[in-house]
Amino acid sequence: MKTAQRRGSSLSSPDFARLHGVWRSRGYGNVLLIEEDWYTLFEETSISCLKIHAGSIEELGHYYEDLAVSPGGQAFSAHRVTGVARIRFRRLKGLPASVTESHRHRAKDPQYNFDVFWRTFHEQYALFELKGVAWDRAHHDYLPQINANTSQETLFVIMVAMLRPLKDGHIRLHSPWGHYSAGAQPALFRRLTQELEDANDDRELTSYLGDLKESARDVIHEDYLASAVSHGGNRLVEWGRLNDLIGYLNIRAMAGQSGKSGKPAADLSAVDSVMKSVLADVGELPNLVIDLRNNGGGYDGVALRFAAYLMDRKRLAFTKSARHGNGFTGKQSVYVTPANETYQGNLFVLTSELTASAAEIFVLSLLQHPRLTLIGEPTQGILSDTLERHLPNGWHLTLSNEIYRAYDGEIYEDVGIPPHIRLKYLGRKGREEGKDPMLERVIKLVDRPVL
């Protein structure tokens, strides 16, 4: 999951109730039918327009905020509650003809599902050029394998084969025949797999990695923080003091701080509360370590809210644009605006290949900080939000439909955000010595005399 939220009040039902009609989003592939007290959401490609969800106007008002309607009433825009991007819609005269056309196909027609699948990526995926994948060629290679008698299981296998070269951790395909994630395997996984093989250890990689993480956390708690650890945000945030000069803040996820699943607004309030406690406890220290090494992401808005308590002044965090037609929507600028009370010292941010998605957005948003040092490994390199889509047969998938650019225009998708000081996470030497090499480096940097 990687979406985000911004501050703002949700819309009331009368705001949308006056927008009767049919609306098409700019980018994102959605068509929205708004009636007197009901709405219907469709997902559109050039050959399909599938009804996905329907609900009350009041419900729609909980999904969007900050509605802005054009003077002539022919367009509107709003922020999704789970996204920092402003989505723009323009009025259509009626529902696209493809709505009717979609009903003419059997829901499980393998050829139609293949075509909708291919079109969805062809029209919405943002990273073909970056990935060096010729999607047209994939269509040419795999279309001959599809016919009216192709089984659903075979169809799933073919789709997985088409997705595999993209090596994108935000691409997932879910079906009754399996669930596939197209993410590339981190070097850390390969390194630990080799360790297991060398030791003739038959543990699963996930179990081994979990044991190493737990052991590393125990070392931090017992040897570096002397067991004086504070917790907050549904125990997803912990903090303490490494010594009289260095504070420590571990943010384990960018969602869930409220303890309520899928409630970004509640998570934002929880972040406000926990960060005030963090600043009260360690805010006066001249140095602060922020540990993101096991943070797999969450909401962009949560990441930006954490950053708001660390940034020196309002700065550009990033720009983002979404696939639209043969190109992209215009770039939207997203800023970090400091909270009323902020940390004023030096920041040492620890990252690994497991630092992903919204955790990378947090790092991206701090790159202009004048006292920032990144230590560890490049982040995972999956920054785009995930666009959720559905196939006629009921399967659903996610894909990356946006390009994020850092304040200086740099794109870190696929390659990750590089550290200033490169050190391995869970390296064997540090584990054998019972040390955390990244924390040791911070302590050495802080203790080093100024010449």
Side-chain angles (χ1 to χ4, degrees), residues 340-365:
N340 291 333
E341 182 184 1
T342 61
Y343 179 73
Q344 300 294 313
N346 303 308
L347 300 180
F348 297 89
V349 177
L350 311 185
T351 63
S352 78
E353 292 176 289
L354 306 180
T355 306
S357 199
E360 298 179 272
I361 300 308
F362 174 87
V363 179
L364 201 66
S365 69

Side-chain angles (χ1 to χ4, degrees), residues 300-317:
D300 279 3
V302 169
L304 290 169
R305 188 61 63 85
F306 273 117
Y309 286 89
L310 304 168
M311 185 54 83
D312 62 324
R313 63 177 176 84
K314 183 177 179 179
R315 294 181 184 270
L316 178 65

